[in-house]
């Protein structure tokens, strides 16, 4: 980890000058300030905002960084994290990135300054820069919900590809041959995996030529807008697959505004279950992820890594999804298909 002395040497100034720039105290010429700031950025130096001896004593603080804290899926995951952390006398800091790499990196810098003991991270858009930064600052990182590449760390996620495969197989079994999928960004592993499961089911059934994929964002607006587009396709799909719960809600709303019956005209399936207070009529058929268990298991592993109980052999846990069939799916009633 770079120190004040390293920054001072790179900038060609005294350590006290670096301290003054970082703390914005005392007079510093603009050219000197720019040299110091450039050295800080080049070296990846993070100021220590806590007492010098605090790192050895640990801060007893974890951070959970998710992409959308308003999503009930992540809220339930957060509860699993909180329960385990609280039992171990750890506090949890919550950060929301809105799938923004810039926000994620800003939070990472703040968490490094606060010297949290570990970070449970849902990587925004497959970003590994944040993970590398945290690791370089001796902070343990646990990946949640998504696959990561280029770095070796512990991770806990569900089997997105298998869940999507089984949902689409269910629709095919109901006679649907034109199935559209509305998903998030191509840069996010859950999008990639769920589209892969969709394609595998279509290929096995000899329907891959009917593939219809819409890439957007993991929110209701994206689900709504792409449903409008999908239903203008000729021939129209008889089933829609929303790859997360918010997209599925957007799909249902769009179909309602189009005066189309679910499941009479169009069947709908989604990923992630919803709490009873948010359930739509008809209730969604879903691939439910064990969000609470994911949060709980990830936190247990992270605490073991922090304590030294786990010192090698990174663990990559992949949990199964549960297919819950409800009223949003039914037989294909389109006589022309």
């Amino acid at each position: 980890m770079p120190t004040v002395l390293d920054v001072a040497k790179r900038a060609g100034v005294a350590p006290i000058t670096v301290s003054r720039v970082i703390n914005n105290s005392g007079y510093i010429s603009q050219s000197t300030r720019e040299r110091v700031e450039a050295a800080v950025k080049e070296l990846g130096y993070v100021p220590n905002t806590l007492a010098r001896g605090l790192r050895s004593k640990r801060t007893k603080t974890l951070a959970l960084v998710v992409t959308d804290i308003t999503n009930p899926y992540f809220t339930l995951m957060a509860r699993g994290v909180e329960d385990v952390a609280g039992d171990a006398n750890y506090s949890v800091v919550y950060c929301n990135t809105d799938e923004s790499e810039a926000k994620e990196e800003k939070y990472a810098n703040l968490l490094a300054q606060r010297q949290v003991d570990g970070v449970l991270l849902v990587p925004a858009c497959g970003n590994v820069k944040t993970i590398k930064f945290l690791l370089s600052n001796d902070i343990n990182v646990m990946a949640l919900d998504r696959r990561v590449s280029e770095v070796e760390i512990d991770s806990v996620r569900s089997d997105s590809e298998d869940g999507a495969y089984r949902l689409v197989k269910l629709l095919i079994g109901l006679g649907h041959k034109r199935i559209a999928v509305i998903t998030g960004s191509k840069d996010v592993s859950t999008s990639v995996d769920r589209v892969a499961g969709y394609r595998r089911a279509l290929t096995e059934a000899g329907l891959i030529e009917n593939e219809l994929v819409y890439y957007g964002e993991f929110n209701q607006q994206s689900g709504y807008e792409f449903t409008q587009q999908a239903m203008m396709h000729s021939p129209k799909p008889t089933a829609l697959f929303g790859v997360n719960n918010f997209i599925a809600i957007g799909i249902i709303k769009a179909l309602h505004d189009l005066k189309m019956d679910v499941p009479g005209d169009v069947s709908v399936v989604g990923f992630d279950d919803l709490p009873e207070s948010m359930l739509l009529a008809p209730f969604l058929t879903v691939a439910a992820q064990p969000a609470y268990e994911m949060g709980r298991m990830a936190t247990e592993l992270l605490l073991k890594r922090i304590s030294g109980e786990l010192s090698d052999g990174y663990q990559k846990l992949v949990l199964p999804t549960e297919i819950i069939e409800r009223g949003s799916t039914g037989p294909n009633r389109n006589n022309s298909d």
Side-chain angles (χ1 to χ4, degrees):
M1 186 187 301
T3 65
V4 169
L5 293 176
D6 296 324
V7 175
K9 184 176 180 180
R10 176 66 65 91
V13 299
I16 187 63
T17 302
V18 175
S19 179
R20 285 173 177 169
V21 170
I22 291 171
N23 294 308
N24 199 28
S25 63
Y27 172 77
I28 302 292
S29 70
Q30 186 60 31
S31 61
T32 299
R33 180 178 296 278
E34 289 174 356
R35 289 208 315 276
V36 171
E37 290 175 345
V40 167
K41 185 175 181 179
E42 290 169 9
L43 294 172
Y45 172 70
V46 178
N48 180 1
T49 61
L50 300 178
R52 289 174 179 259
L54 202 51
R55 167 52 71 188
S56 61
K57 297 177 182 177
R58 296 206 176 94
T59 61
K60 303 290 285 186
T61 304
L62 303 178
L64 174 62
V65 183
V66 300
T67 55
D68 186 357
I69 197 64
T70 67
N71 190 319
Y73 167 67
F74 288 123
T75 305
L76 190 56
M77 181 185 291
R79 184 56 194 253
V81 172
E82 178 73 30
D83 285 352
V84 174
D87 288 344
N89 294 317
Y90 272 75
S91 299
V92 182
V93 176
Y94 298 97
C95 305
N96 179 70
T97 66
D98 293 320
E99 207 73 68
S100 163
E101 293 184 28
K103 274 190 175 183
E104 181 180 282
E105 290 168 12
K106 179 180 178 181
Y107 277 127
N109 192 276
L110 176 63
L111 295 173
Q113 291 184 42
R114 298 288 179 87
Q115 295 191 333
V116 298
D117 293 328
V119 175
L120 299 113
L121 175 69
V122 179
C125 298
N127 184 23
V128 297
K129 183 178 178 181
T130 296
I131 296 172
K132 291 179 177 179
F133 170 79
L134 292 169
L135 292 175
S136 73
N137 282 277
D138 300 323
I139 296 174
N140 290 282
V141 185
M142 162 70 69
L144 265 171
D145 184 62
R146 299 174 178 181
R147 290 183 289 105
V148 295
S149 57
E150 299 181 39
V151 289
E152 282 295 317
I153 59 172
D154 297 309
S155 63
V156 178
R157 61 184 178 86
S158 70
D159 194 338
S160 282
E161 180 175 344
D162 180 69
Y165 169 77
R166 289 190 290 145
L167 277 177
V168 178
K169 285 274 288 184
L170 184 154
L171 291 171
I172 292 171
L174 290 170
H176 296 281
K177 297 180 181 179
R178 295 193 300 273
I179 304 166
V181 60
I182 302 175
T183 185
S185 168
K186 292 181 180 180
D187 297 326
V188 178
S189 70
T190 45
S191 280
V192 173
D193 292 346
R194 291 168 195 176
V195 170
Y198 161 83
R199 286 175 172 153
R200 179 156 63 98
L202 291 186
T203 299
E204 286 185 4
L207 299 173
I208 193 62
E209 70 277 4
N210 293 346
E211 174 186 315
L212 196 58
V213 182
Y214 296 92
Y215 290 98
E217 298 179 16
F218 291 106
N219 57 41
Q220 293 185 43
Q221 181 179 354
S222 191
Y224 186 94
E225 292 176 353
F226 282 118
T227 297
Q228 298 273 356
Q229 289 189 35
M231 300 318 295
M232 289 190 293
H233 191 272
S234 182
K236 290 181 174 65
T238 63
L240 295 172
F241 170 22
V243 304
N244 87 337
N245 47 15
F246 278 6
I247 290 176
I249 292 172
I251 290 172
I252 295 285
K253 288 184 175 180
L255 292 173
H256 179 267
D257 288 352
L258 290 169
K259 310 301 182 185
M260 302 190 78
D261 180 65
V262 179
D265 297 318
V266 183
S267 285
V268 178
V269 297
F271 229 93
D272 308 329
D273 207 1
L274 290 164
E276 291 184 9
S277 60
M278 293 185 66
L279 285 176
L280 302 172
F283 295 161
L284 279 169
T285 292
V286 298
Q289 300 187 86
Y292 178 87
E293 287 300 306
M294 289 168 66
R296 181 185 64 78
M297 293 173 69
T299 308
E300 289 175 348
L301 278 174
L302 181 59
L303 291 177
K304 288 180 180 179
R305 188 68 69 183
I306 291 168
S307 69
E309 185 177 341
L310 286 176
S311 57
D312 57 5
Y314 292 107
Q315 299 196 31
K316 300 184 183 299
L317 304 183
V318 181
L319 307 183
T321 60
E322 178 187 3
I323 304 300
I324 303 174
E325 190 171 359
R326 298 195 181 105
S328 67
T329 49
N332 177 18
R333 299 174 184 172
N334 190 321
N335 295 327
S336 65
D337 196 0

